[in-house]
Amino acid sequence: MEEDSMALAAARSAVFKCSENLEGKCPKIGGYDFNQGVDYSKLLKSFISTGFQASNLGEAIQIVNQMLEWKLSDEKPENDCSEEEKDPRFRESTKSKVFLGFTSNLISSGIRDTIRYLVEHRMVDVIVTTTGGIEEDLIKCLAPTFKGEFSLPGAALREQGLNRIGNLLVPNDNYCKFEDWIIPILDQMLEEQTSQKILWTPSKLIARLGREINRESSYLYWASMNNIPVFCPGITDGSIGDMLYFHSYSNPGLIIDVVQDVIAMDGEAVHAAPRKTGMIILGGGLPKHHICNANMMRNGADYAVFINTAQEFD
């Protein structure tokens, strides 16, 4: 009996182990009460205490808000700062420099319209994307993309002249229209390279295409209108690369200098001071690395939000 009693006491001690008091140390879990009606601001704030990935999203929202709300006037002037930096009006108007990176699938999807809004209203300062993130924006101005299914077989679609991007369908005719549209522009750029000694870079090419497309539905149009640089170090990895390849035979000589864009991109971060920098990166790969690498040149960004499907340890 005594042995059983001791075993029971040990079991109770293990099961009912005293807890460390978390009051005041950790937020309490709780969700949004829809009896209050739908208040989107309060709903988004409630994500912090919802738990699981909602809390990560809530933290990301907080960081983005901090990024957008920061002003130089929030900081005390440095003793050795310039006269301009001491000016209260300058300090009040100086805000964070926001680097936005995203993968091409977001432009293929309806998220393109959200990105267009951000660029149209100057809510970002520098953009980095993949080639698909450039050409898909332009192609959508020429012809629409359609909803299909993830399960549609690629070989059968190919026979129908259709291309699948996830559950999106892009008729091959769209790329033919893109070729008809872009080749004359490349011809003109080559002529200007020769006659005006213009040194073309991927970002200059992209700005030119944004002006040429001249559609308010295009985020590249608004980037060109608002002088927001769009960088794409892998500019040949897509349909634009195909167009440059074909153009090199029909009218050879056009040069796109990627080195000048590396200098320009890194300069966007290195010379950002006295502004803070923030990174919003949707997806991974090239845009993520290019933005992080540029900000490494200034010993890191002040704010960062990463949204992707990778595991947290990746």
Side-chain angles (χ1 to χ4, degrees):
M1 289 292 294
E2 182 178 353
E3 185 175 329
D4 289 344
S5 178
M6 291 176 62
L8 180 60
R12 290 182 65 85
S13 176
V15 172
F16 298 109
K17 184 176 180 65
C18 291
S19 302
E20 179 184 342
N21 187 357
L22 298 180
E23 290 285 344
K25 297 180 181 178
C26 301
K28 295 179 181 178
I29 293 298
Y32 182 76
D33 182 3
F34 283 94
N35 283 324
Q36 304 174 27
V38 180
D39 183 321
Y40 288 107
S41 179
K42 290 181 179 178
L43 175 61
L44 294 175
K45 286 179 181 178
S46 76
F47 287 178
I48 286 285
S49 62
T50 299
F52 300 124
Q53 283 295 337
S55 291
N56 285 343
L57 179 57
E59 289 175 16
I61 292 168
Q62 277 190 342
I63 293 169
V64 170
N65 284 334
Q66 291 168 8
M67 194 186 303
L68 297 177
E69 292 167 4
W70 179 86
K71 293 178 290 188
L72 186 58
S73 57
D74 296 338
E75 316 281 338
K76 290 184 178 180
E78 299 287 341
N79 293 330
D80 59 348
C81 71
S82 67
E83 288 301 315
E84 181 183 42
E85 290 175 35
K86 293 176 182 177
D87 184 345
R89 289 173 297 180
F90 175 82
R91 299 185 71 81
E92 184 70 19
S93 64
T94 300
K95 299 185 176 182
S96 297
K97 189 171 200 175
V98 179
F99 291 76
L100 174 65
F102 50 84
T103 46
S104 65
N105 55 319
L106 298 187
I107 299 301
S108 301
S109 74
I111 299 298
R112 169 182 180 247
D113 294 294
T114 303
I115 292 172
R116 187 264 309 150
Y117 177 88
L118 297 177
V119 179
E120 178 183 354
H121 296 282
R122 297 183 175 90
M123 298 179 72
V124 297
D125 299 284
V126 181
I127 294 172
V128 180
T129 188
T130 59
T131 310
I134 304 300
E135 61 203 26
E136 289 292 322
D137 179 68
L138 300 167
I139 290 171
K140 278 188 168 183
C141 293
L142 305 174
T145 296
F146 300 91
K147 180 182 174 297
E149 299 292 341
F150 287 104
S151 59
L152 293 173
L157 290 174
R158 183 63 182 169
E159 289 298 317
Q160 301 171 52
L162 299 174
N163 302 277
R164 183 173 64 82
I165 305 173
N167 67 341
L168 311 179
L169 294 176
V170 183
N172 217 53
D173 288 346
N174 292 20
Y175 295 99
C176 298
K177 291 176 182 178
F178 182 55
E179 180 182 16
D180 292 340
W181 177 79
I182 197 174
I183 292 298
I185 298 172
L186 298 180
D187 286 337
Q188 183 62 31
M189 288 173 58
L190 176 57
E191 192 280 325
E192 292 170 14
Q193 174 185 294
T194 304
S195 63
Q196 302 176 33
K197 307 301 181 186
I198 293 178
L199 178 62
W200 293 106
T201 66
S203 63
K204 287 181 181 178
L205 165 64
I206 293 164
R208 177 62 172 268
L209 296 177
R211 287 195 299 272
E212 294 283 352
I213 199 65
N214 198 27
R215 297 283 187 89
E216 292 189 358
S217 62
S218 163
Y219 86 88
L220 292 176
Y221 165 80
W222 286 109
S224 68
M225 292 298 101
N226 293 333
N227 294 315
I228 297 172
V230 180
F231 293 100
C232 180
I235 192 67
T236 58
D237 187 28
S239 182
I240 290 177
D242 298 340
M243 299 304 109
L244 291 170
Y245 172 74
F246 294 136
H247 186 263
S248 72
Y249 283 93
S250 63
N251 194 4
L254 182 63
I255 297 171
I256 309 291
D257 188 344
V258 297
V259 176
Q260 294 305 310
D261 257 10
V262 171
I263 296 169
M265 175 62 188
D266 288 351
E268 291 287 348
V270 170
H271 303 300
R275 303 170 73 181
K276 289 188 174 183
T277 65
M279 308 186 298
I280 302 175
I281 302 176
L282 311 177
L286 183 149
K288 177 182 177 182
H289 181 266
H290 207 52
I291 292 175
C292 289
N293 190 71
N295 277 272
M296 182 182 68
M297 300 289 178
R298 64 184 299 277
N299 205 29
D302 299 281
Y303 307 100
V305 169
F306 300 84
I307 298 180
N308 52 56
T309 56
Q311 298 294 323
E312 289 198 19
F313 60 77
D314 185 10

